[in-house]
Amino acid sequence: MSVSSEIEEGTRLMPRFDSAGTLPCITVDAETGEVLMFAYMNQEALDRTIQTGRATYYSRSRKKLWVKGEESGFVQHVRELRVDCDQDCVLIKVSVEGGASCHVGYRSCFFRRLKPGSSGELEFTESKKVFDPEKVYPRSS
């Protein structure tokens, strides 16, 4: 089997990271299928996610790993990890302790949508925050 065939149809995990050493990760609720967030993983984040069963991402802006829930307590427990056909994107199905994945307090980072009929106005799809981010992430003075 060629390398291309092995990547596309084989049974070995062979992630194809981009030139920055990352790959996109879509995170969904394991029960409902709702998209909770989008982030990136590098090799270390992917390895730790697999080893620990806790969603671990790579922050491109901070240039460091972060375990979801490390500060907030809203830990994402990985129930399933999938790759797309050419292994350059990961999808993880998670259960979330505390029920929130967004750092601004909502269940999902995708809490707004384009208002039907509008070309630029957003409307909320979630009516209430799960937590108060000011209490969970106190700002240092």
Side-chain angles (χ1 to χ4, degrees):
M1 189 179 271
S2 71
V3 172
S4 178
S5 294
E6 181 65 25
I7 288 170
E8 292 176 350
E9 298 187 76
T11 58
R12 238 177 80 223
L13 179 61
M14 300 172 68
R16 295 179 52 228
F17 297 94
D18 64 17
S19 60
T22 62
L23 73 161
C25 177
I26 303 161
T27 304
V28 301
D29 184 284
E31 294 296 316
T32 67
E34 175 186 14
V35 177
L36 298 175
M37 57 180 281
F38 172 88
Y40 288 90
M41 290 183 170
N42 63 5
Q43 184 70 62
E44 186 178 4
L46 180 61
D47 291 345
R48 285 195 187 180
T49 297
I50 293 168
Q51 292 162 2
T52 66
R54 292 178 64 174
T56 304
Y57 303 101
Y58 179 74
S59 170
R60 297 182 308 163
S61 59
R62 293 176 285 172
K63 299 192 181 338
K64 69 176 199 170
L65 293 182
W66 54 284
V67 179
K68 190 64 178 164
E70 198 168 45
E71 278 184 65
S72 67
F74 299 111
V75 177
Q76 293 177 341
H77 299 280
V78 179
R79 301 296 176 227
E80 184 177 334
L81 185 144
R82 294 185 181 200
V83 294
D84 71 340
C85 57
D86 47 10
Q87 296 201 43
D88 62 359
C89 184
V90 174
L91 179 137
I92 57 175
K93 294 183 176 189
V94 301
S95 59
V96 183
E97 273 182 48
S101 289
C102 183
H103 74 282
V104 298
Y106 292 98
R107 173 174 164 64
S108 167
C109 292
F110 296 92
F111 56 87
R112 296 172 292 181
R113 67 178 176 197
L114 183 65
K115 188 173 184 176
S118 171
S119 62
E121 188 178 351
L122 298 176
E123 66 182 7
F124 286 82
T125 58
E126 294 185 31
S127 59
K128 290 193 285 187
K129 291 186 176 189
V130 175
F131 68 93
D132 178 353
E134 296 292 324
K135 291 180 181 171
V136 173
Y137 304 111
R139 297 179 194 261
S140 53
S141 316

